[in-house]
Amino acid sequence: MTGMELDLNVMGSNTSFQSWTDAESFAGVPCATGSTCLRAAMVGPYTSDATAHVEFVARAKETAVLSFGATSPLLSGQAYFLRLCPSDDEGAQSLFNAIKKFGWDQIAVVHVNNEYARAYEVELQQLVQAGAPSRF
């Protein structure tokens, strides 16, 4: 990429709060005097919980968040949020299609027990109740 200059900031956040403070520090840095600054995006974090905090900061700073792992439907439709993976709703639909295709009558859904992951479970149960053989 000839002629392109990229200021890459890598921040290793272990908690939702740290993700929020990292986003705040990144988005709050002013452009250098006399230069043109296009703060294109923040990439990550992985979890929906942490991404919700980062998205809140990004929205206030009008900076996009590209998430490669946040699947919660609660993040869908946010103006500055771009999901790079399927949402829980889409993932549940894909799993439902696999259940039907392979004729499975019993599966186990293992997930983190928080409000974001529960959306996947709820969506899958609704699909199953609407017409798939299952035993949860």
Side-chain angles (χ1 to χ4, degrees), residues 30-43:
C31 296
T33 305
S35 71
T36 302
C37 180
L38 175 60
R39 186 159 285 125
M42 291 183 262
V43 179

Side-chain angles (χ1 to χ4, degrees), residues 2-131:
T2 308
M4 179 180 171
E5 187 176 319
L6 177 65
D7 182 14
L8 178 63
N9 296 279
V10 179
M11 302 171 176
S13 304
N14 295 320
T15 66
S16 295
F17 179 74
Q18 185 63 47
S19 296
W20 180 83
T21 56
D22 284 349
E24 188 68 36
S25 69
F26 170 73
V29 175
C31 296
T33 305
S35 71
T36 302
C37 180
L38 175 60
R39 186 159 285 125
M42 291 183 262
V43 179
Y46 185 74
T47 66
S48 295
D49 184 43
T51 300
H53 294 284
V54 170
E55 190 279 330
F56 178 80
V57 173
R59 189 173 353 119
K61 304 293 184 172
E62 298 182 339
T63 300
V65 174
L66 286 80
S67 177
F68 51 86
T71 58
S72 173
L74 297 174
L75 293 165
S76 298
Q78 299 298 327
Y80 291 94
F81 176 72
L82 298 155
R83 182 180 285 118
L84 304 175
C85 62
S87 70
D88 287 336
D89 292 344
E90 295 163 333
Q93 182 66 57
S94 295
L95 177 56
F96 177 73
N97 293 341
I99 291 167
K100 289 192 321 185
K101 179 178 179 165
F102 293 108
W104 297 331
D105 64 1
Q106 184 175 15
I107 64 165
V109 177
V110 180
H111 63 80
V112 175
N113 193 20
N114 65 25
E115 65 184 277
Y116 301 103
R118 275 188 226 102
Y120 184 88
E121 176 188 356
V122 168
E123 179 67 19
L124 183 58
Q125 285 180 343
Q126 289 174 350
L127 290 167
V128 166
Q129 289 170 358

